[in-house]
Amino acid sequence: MKLKLKIWKQGDAHSRGSFVTYDLDGVAPEMSFIEMLTYLNETLIGKGEEPVTFEHDCHEGICGSCGMYINGYPHGPVKGLTTCLLSMRNFKDGETIVIEPWRAKPFPVIKDLMVDRNALDKIQQAGGFISVTTGAAPEANTIPVNKKNSDLAFDASVCIGCGACVAACKNASAMLFVSAKISQYALLPQGRPEGKERVRAMIAEMDRQGFGSCSNTGACEAQCPKQIKLFNIARLNREYYKAF
Amino acid sequence: MITLDSKIPEGPLEEKWTRYKANAKLVSPANKKKLDIIVVGTGISGAPAASALGEMGYNVKVFCYQDTPRRAHSVAAQGGINAAKNYKNDGDSVYHLFYDVIKGGDFRAREANVYRIAEVSNQIIDHFTAIGVPFAREYGGTLTTRSFGGVQVSRTFYSRGQTGQQVLLGAYSSLVRQIKEGTVTMYPRREMLDLVVVDGKARGIVVRNLITGEIERHSAHAVVLATGGYGTIYYLSTLAVNSNASAAWNAYKRGAAFANPSFVQIHPSSVPQMNEFQSKLTLMSESLRNDGRVWVPKTKGDSRPPNEIPEEDRDYYLERRYPAFGNLVPRDVASRAAKERCDAGYGVGPTGLAVNLDFRDAIKKQGQKAIEEKYGNLFDMYKDITGIDSYTEPMRIYPAGHYTMGGLWVNYDLMTTIPGLFAVGESNFSDHGANRLGASSLMQGAGDGYFILPYTISNYLASEIKTPRINTDTAEFQEAETRSAEKIKRLLSIRGKQTATTFHKKLGKIMWDHCGMTRNEKGLTEAIGLIRELREEFWKDLNVPGRADELNQELEKAGRVADFLELGELMMTDALNRRESCGAHFREESQTPDHEALRNDDEYAYVAVWEYNGDEPPVLHKEELKFEFVELKQRSYK
Ligand SMILES: Cc1cc2nc3c(=O)[nH]c(=O)nc-3n(C[C@H](O)[C@H](O)[C@H](O)COP(=O)(O)OP(=O)(O)OC[C@H]3O[C@@H](n4cnc5c(N)ncnc54)[C@H](O)[C@@H]3O)c2cc1C
Ligand code: FES
């Protein structure tokens, strides 16, 4: 396959970026999107040009490192996939692909396609935990958990913290991210004791980090590579109202 | 010259750890605040270590090269985590777990360490459950388990096919809680380049800030490496692509001995390689072998689609060769059996380097929904990568480099041969002998970090309470910094023609061909020559663009490949030294008439411990393994 790649290049957070167009020949349909970009970089280095900076690690859709807009969609046009699992079979020979970093105020660009997502750690740090000191846990089966709730908690806990939900939202809201964590703990008896403090602290931190508010467009759910559901946001809102 | 003292406590196996704890020295809360500990790594060993030490009141500094601790490679573990809870009432016990790990490791691990990890395994499950890890449950609300390769009980706790993610995110949540408390300071996007040793003790590290390129000095009273395994030396492996050996390797060059470097587990089930651009072999969890049956056609070159090959033309070779364990034989056995079939010409798929893993019978019996419930995400991932729907057609799988049992040598305290330098998780060698059983690594990492290191490091630090905060403005720190800066300068000054990735691929091929599933004298000897040549070529023809004082991903890769090029030779040397087959280490010269691994306990019941010796060949030390509580047996899964 032959592709035209329009890629955002930016030196650092302070410099102005712009699109650079690369022609890339010899792309195989079974490459992943990340492998295609790696292949691009190998050719660029060969020609003495600067490679494109982007993040990736697990190549299994689980670490949340990778992430970029591909033709305007976070993680590309296929539902439920991270960039690293997106196969080039989904593109046509001769196609032009536009590739950009996440665009959201709380995620400043570090270089090219790499952004700083530390704000998500800060939100989790505010209250995304259950305060049990090592050694203090009771025997695991002393806390029975309804299987349905446990499964729902799991469904919420699969969030990989990639930031696609924020990137997809016109308000750059992190509500889906926060709601996933809140839901996981709200659905488990272990999470109840700190429920109120947790939701207040995480929402306050989300605001402090400059994420926007939720206007229920559902773009986050549509772009979430782990298909985390919008009803988690409804649960978050309920938890939040109950917390005062 | 180092001397090895494994410091195994006296007494019966079941009492060793209890006695150790009873005699271990304690540090008062007031003194803990004055003691600094560096933890490098935030995976399933590092994050627990850091949070537990922070909770105790030590002043902890944690490092990782990712942007956030939550992305450590452990996040990708799939199948589960073992514990001896006996929730299935199938006769399990701490002793059985211990015995399975010792036997699975083909009697090349230390009894006392293995017993201890089995002993703490139940606490790990309690802790993870208490902090909200959603392990799979029964309808009655209690936790459930599944069985995993190489054992006959069901003791593996899991969260669908993404257990690693769930336990790591649990550990991460405890870690951020301590960051909030102020007991732990997090330094992400830092790569440890060197260890600083002052007066014979580990006192700090030198790291590169991956955003600015700046080299930073960090000091502590003790340093803990939780830096993971080095399976990425094969280039193609199941590990996250940035995983590397550099931290452990540079500690080795500062005097920490390296144990059993050639013991690498090749996992039997990964998605086979499809083309030369591939950067990663995606793992298909071992748990799939609970329900999937492995087979190849009975006739060579049978090109019919798998579903059209009738039962009588299929060779379920694992069930045929190992009737007692069938598809659940340990990984090393399953990998070699797949290689044997493929080498003999029975492999399937476009390259012939694959075997079928078929769920037809399981789906017929349990229904698609049950299979989906257990493995849904794995089936999805397989389909995303290959385009094949394994609910209707068998998966194709092939072995891939997966886990390194070898690592930094540690004593019972988890301390390396450098006082004050500890190693936990996959970065140490301690518990898995010559082969690791499935779901035992998360157990070992979390056990080391939460429940073992906190005691042993305190025992060490109790004699450091009078040592003031370590000054970084000293000759030793300067020296380490200069060494690192010079290496970077050298990498950048070559400006040759080949990229770091090109060299990595070449090295990977040498390692796979000569130090993979089977090894022999001739191949290993040749490979040492090949690696030396490649290393020379690397330092003459490497092309790293960009500068040192900026974000430079090619430079990061080049530094890691430079270290792999040295480690590769040590792996070959170790494999050459061990003229026996044991666990994952299969020397062709040492096999039974029916091609099973043949151990040689008289000559090789030891841990091979290598000491760095500058430009001279490394020095071999032997830690003799004494088996007081189990009887050495040839493993048989037939
Ligand atoms: C695909 C896959 C599936 C697996 N499934 C299972 C399973 O189901 N059950 C099981 O028990 N085991 C499983 N394993 C094995 C298990 O996941 C690993 O052995 C384990 O997670 C290793 O944890 P760790 O803490 O030792 O290191 P890692 O998780 O590898 O973490 C290493 C850490 O060290 C840091 N680091 C490394 N070098 C440096 C440096 N130079 N400077 C700064 N930081 C550094 C990294 O940033 C990272 O934070 C699996 C492995 C793979 C590859
Ligand atoms: S590289 Fe890990 S999710 Fe894509």
Side-chain angles (χ1 to χ4, degrees):
Chain A
M1 280 162 77
K2 206 170 165 170
L3 298 171
K4 199 179 269 306
L5 304 171
K6 277 184 73 182
I7 302 181
W8 186 261
K9 291 283 293 170
Q10 180 172 336
D12 56 35
H14 312 293
S15 49
R16 286 183 57 146
S18 62
F19 281 106
V20 176
T21 305
Y22 303 94
D23 288 306
L24 187 63
D25 204 353
V27 174
E30 63 269 27
M31 282 180 183
S32 71
F33 204 83
I34 294 290
E35 282 161 0
M36 183 277 291
L37 286 177
T38 309
Y39 169 59
L40 167 73
N41 276 351
E42 291 289 299
T43 35
L44 290 178
I45 298 166
K47 288 191 282 187
E49 290 177 42
E50 193 196 41
V52 179
T53 298
F54 61 96
E55 288 190 277
H56 59 105
D57 202 5
C58 73
H59 293 208
E60 290 190 7
I62 197 78
C63 73
S65 292
C66 65
M68 51 194 79
Y69 291 103
I70 302 167
N71 288 338
Y73 298 100
H75 292 299
V78 183
K79 223 179 144 75
L81 287 189
T82 51
T83 305
C84 58
L85 285 179
L86 177 66
S87 141
M88 294 311 291
R89 276 189 294 267
N90 295 296
F91 299 88
K92 286 189 291 293
D93 189 26
E95 195 170 332
T96 299
I97 307 178
V98 183
I99 309 170
E100 296 165 82
W102 289 164
R103 302 218 186 265
K105 209 173 78 204
F107 294 163
V109 172
I110 294 175
K111 191 174 180 182
D112 301 344
L113 304 174
M114 183 195 272
V115 300
D116 183 351
R117 287 171 283 190
N118 195 243
L120 297 180
D121 286 315
K122 290 276 159 49
I123 296 177
Q124 176 123 9
Q125 201 174 303
F129 47 76
I130 294 175
S131 304
V132 175
T133 301
T134 310
E139 205 287 330
N141 267 347
T142 50
I143 329 164
V145 182
N146 171 283
K147 180 163 169 18
K148 198 168 140 239
N149 282 346
S150 170
D151 287 349
L152 282 171
F154 172 81
D155 290 342
S157 72
V158 300
C159 169
I160 57 174
C162 64
C165 49
V166 177
C169 176
K170 63 182 167 52
N171 309 324
S173 170
M175 281 292 270
L176 194 64
F177 170 83
V178 177
S179 75
K181 224 8 46 171
I182 292 293
S183 286
Q184 177 191 346
Y185 293 139
L187 285 157
L188 299 172
Q190 304 93 299
R192 295 309 326 177
E194 292 166 291
K196 290 185 178 172
E197 295 79 7
R198 176 180 306 116
V199 69
R200 287 204 303 254
M202 288 181 78
I203 293 281
E205 189 61 31
M206 179 179 86
D207 293 342
R208 198 169 310 132
Q209 292 294 329
F211 291 97
S213 50
C214 173
S215 50
N216 278 315
T217 65
C220 52
E221 181 191 65
Q223 293 303 322
C224 173
K226 294 288 140 183
Q227 299 183 305
I228 291 176
K229 295 285 177 275
L230 221 44
F231 58 65
N232 288 301
I233 297 188
R235 185 178 294 109
L236 166 63
N237 287 330
R238 277 201 305 279
E239 290 291 317
Y240 191 63
Y241 296 132
K242 279 195 300 194
F244 291 91
Chain B
M1 273 290 256
I2 55 168
T3 41
L4 299 177
D5 178 4
S6 52
K7 295 212 169 153
I8 300 168
E10 293 296 317
L13 197 52
E14 331 56 77
E15 282 176 29
K16 287 180 190 293
W17 182 229
T18 311
R19 287 194 192 185
Y20 180 96
K21 288 189 288 186
N23 294 320
K25 287 181 235 134
L26 302 174
V27 180
S28 75
N31 282 328
K32 283 198 188 108
K33 265 188 246 152
K34 293 187 232 152
L35 292 167
D36 302 329
I37 303 175
I38 284 175
V39 178
V40 189
T42 59
I44 203 56
S45 58
S51 62
L53 295 169
E55 288 163 8
M56 291 164 80
Y58 290 111
N59 186 31
V60 184
K61 309 180 205 180
V62 191
F63 297 79
C64 72
Y65 51 70
Q66 289 90 350
D67 61 330
T68 150
R70 66 178 289 157
R71 303 202 206 287
H73 159 67
S74 295
V75 79
Q78 298 175 349
I81 174 165
N82 287 334
K85 286 281 194 187
N86 193 30
Y87 282 167
K88 284 269 163 79
N89 198 23
D90 51 8
D92 201 8
S93 65
V94 167
Y95 185 85
H96 280 95
L97 174 53
F98 151 76
Y99 187 76
D100 285 336
V101 174
I102 280 278
K103 177 188 171 201
D106 217 358
F107 304 95
R108 289 294 173 264
R110 212 185 268 153
E111 282 180 329
N113 285 54
V114 177
Y115 194 88
R116 176 176 63 182
I117 203 71
E119 222 177 321
V120 303
S121 66
N122 292 342
Q123 274 178 284
I124 299 169
I125 301 303
D126 296 341
H127 184 67
F128 279 138
T129 303
I131 61 171
V133 171
F135 287 126
R137 287 180 184 266
E138 305 279 359
Y139 282 100
T142 53
L143 295 173
T144 188
T145 53
R146 63 178 163 209
S147 43
F148 232 54
V151 302
Q152 288 168 315
V153 292
S154 173
R155 64 161 75 101
T156 304
F157 293 80
Y158 65 97
S159 298
R160 218 162 294 171
Q162 45 208 87
T163 317
Q165 181 198 28
Q166 293 308 313
V167 293
L168 185 73
L169 293 183
Y172 162 76
S173 72
S174 307
L175 180 65
V176 294
R177 173 170 162 247
Q178 289 312 304
I179 297 174
K180 184 183 183 187
E181 293 284 319
T183 59
V184 173
T185 312
M186 184 68 224
Y187 296 88
R189 296 200 195 271
R190 303 294 201 293
E191 179 139 331
M192 171 181 162
L193 301 177
D194 213 340
L195 177 78
V196 181
V197 180
V198 181
D199 297 331
K201 290 180 177 170
R203 291 299 194 195
I205 60 174
V206 160
V207 302
R208 181 165 180 272
N209 179 323
L210 299 181
I211 302 299
T212 62
E214 195 188 333
I215 294 186
E216 304 170 351
R217 304 172 181 191
H218 296 274
S219 71
H221 294 85
V223 177
V224 181
L225 296 189
T227 48
Y230 49 90
T232 33
I233 194 166
Y234 294 97
Y235 185 69
L236 286 173
S237 79
T238 62
L239 276 79
V241 296
N242 294 319
S243 301
N244 67 83
S246 293
W249 187 250
N250 286 291
Y252 165 72
K253 288 170 95 172
R254 300 279 80 73
F258 212 109
N260 300 332
S262 71
F263 285 180
V264 184
Q265 177 168 84
I266 309 292
H267 195 290
S269 49
S270 88
V271 182
Q273 186 178 4
M274 291 180 282
N275 64 46
E276 62 182 294
F277 305 109
Q278 201 159 324
S279 52
K280 164 83 195 261
L281 294 172
T282 302
L283 182 78
M284 286 291 121
S285 169
E286 168 164 85
S287 58
L288 293 167
R289 284 195 278 138
N290 277 324
D291 289 304
R293 298 176 70 194
V294 180
W295 64 275
V296 293
K298 274 190 183 154
T299 20
K300 278 186 205 180
D302 188 334
S303 60
R304 287 176 288 179
N307 284 340
E308 286 170 25
I309 299 182
E311 204 56 19
E312 61 274 16
D313 293 345
R314 298 175 172 201
D315 177 13
Y316 294 94
Y317 58 87
L318 288 177
E319 298 169 25
R320 169 171 59 79
R321 282 179 69 179
Y322 307 100
F325 280 70
N327 293 295
L328 291 177
V329 291
R331 294 175 177 176
D332 54 333
V333 177
S335 289
R336 277 195 297 277
K339 178 175 167 24
E340 187 277 329
R341 282 294 79 190
C342 294
D343 288 354
Y346 296 91
V348 301
T351 58
L353 288 178
V355 299
N356 292 315
L357 178 62
D358 201 338
F359 296 89
R360 185 194 62 184
D361 297 349
I363 290 173
K364 217 183 282 167
K365 218 163 120 195
Q366 307 167 34
Q368 178 159 334
K369 194 152 180 295
I371 297 299
E372 234 177 83
E373 172 111 333
K374 284 191 253 186
Y375 317 111
N377 71 317
L378 296 171
F379 278 55
D380 291 348
M381 192 154 66
Y382 185 80
K383 190 168 180 202
D384 295 335
I385 296 169
T386 63
I388 294 171
D389 174 11
S390 340
Y391 293 108
T392 57
E393 205 181 304
M395 276 182 187
R396 283 202 289 263
I397 54 166
Y398 197 66
H402 180 60
Y403 180 89
T404 42
M405 283 74 71
L408 292 173
W409 184 87
V410 289
N411 62 18
Y412 192 74
D413 289 351
L414 301 179
M415 190 153 87
T416 67
T417 52
I418 301 177
L421 179 69
F422 294 78
V424 293
E426 194 173 342
S427 74
N428 75 25
F429 88 106
S430 79
D431 293 358
H432 307 294
N435 175 52
R436 172 175 72 80
L437 285 186
S440 288
S441 174
L442 295 176
M443 167 179 82
Q444 180 230 332
D448 283 359
Y450 279 132
F451 298 110
I452 299 172
L453 183 77
Y455 287 96
T456 63
I457 203 169
S458 295
N459 190 43
Y460 172 79
L461 288 171
S463 51
E464 291 289 334
I465 50 176
K466 296 212 177 72
T467 313
R469 196 140 277 167
I470 312 295
N471 181 4
T472 57
D473 212 5
T474 62
E476 289 88 351
F477 275 91
Q478 181 59 49
E479 214 179 284
E481 184 179 321
T482 310
R483 210 167 26 230
S484 301
E486 265 166 14
K487 180 170 166 194
I488 289 171
K489 211 165 119 196
R490 207 171 142 213
L491 290 167
L492 282 164
S493 65
I494 308 168
R495 303 281 165 187
K497 290 212 165 50
Q498 303 180 65
T499 61
T501 303
T502 310
F503 282 106
H504 196 170
K505 283 185 186 174
K506 287 184 182 176
L507 173 66
K509 184 156 173 21
I510 300 176
M511 298 306 300
W512 183 251
D513 289 347
H514 302 288
C515 204
M517 277 179 279
T518 62
R519 295 116 188 237
N520 62 53
E521 183 101 20
K522 184 165 164 284
L524 289 164
T525 315
E526 268 172 30
I528 290 180
L530 292 173
I531 291 181
R532 288 186 184 158
E533 278 167 34
L534 189 63
R535 203 158 57 214
E536 206 164 296
E537 193 182 325
F538 176 87
W539 288 108
K540 274 195 199 127
D541 197 31
L542 173 72
N543 181 6
V544 183
R547 303 193 315 262
D549 61 350
E550 61 177 5
L551 173 63
N552 188 338
Q553 294 176 320
E554 284 301 310
L555 178 62
E556 294 164 29
K557 281 191 225 167
R560 295 166 187 169
V561 175
D563 292 334
F564 277 142
L565 281 163
E566 296 177 359
L567 169 60
E569 183 172 336
L570 186 69
M571 288 168 68
M572 298 283 178
T573 308
D574 182 54
L576 200 53
N577 169 66
R578 194 173 282 275
R579 289 188 177 79
E580 65 158 352
S581 295
C582 60
H585 172 68
F586 190 82
R587 278 289 296 262
E588 286 164 12
E589 300 90 338
S590 181
Q591 47 182 308
T592 62
D594 51 354
H595 308 296
E596 302 298 336
L598 182 64
R599 271 195 346 252
N600 176 350
D601 293 329
D602 291 340
E603 287 177 80
Y604 293 100
Y606 65 75
V607 181
V609 188
W610 300 90
E611 182 185 8
Y612 181 67
N613 192 21
D615 291 336
E616 298 298 309
V619 182
L620 173 64
H621 303 264
K622 297 175 184 176
E623 181 196 339
E624 298 295 338
L625 291 167
K626 290 188 213 65
F627 292 91
E628 297 175 61
F629 305 95
V630 300
E631 189 193 339
L632 286 170
K633 284 199 187 121
Q634 284 291 343
R635 275 190 318 167
S636 170
Y637 294 93
K638 285 186 189 282

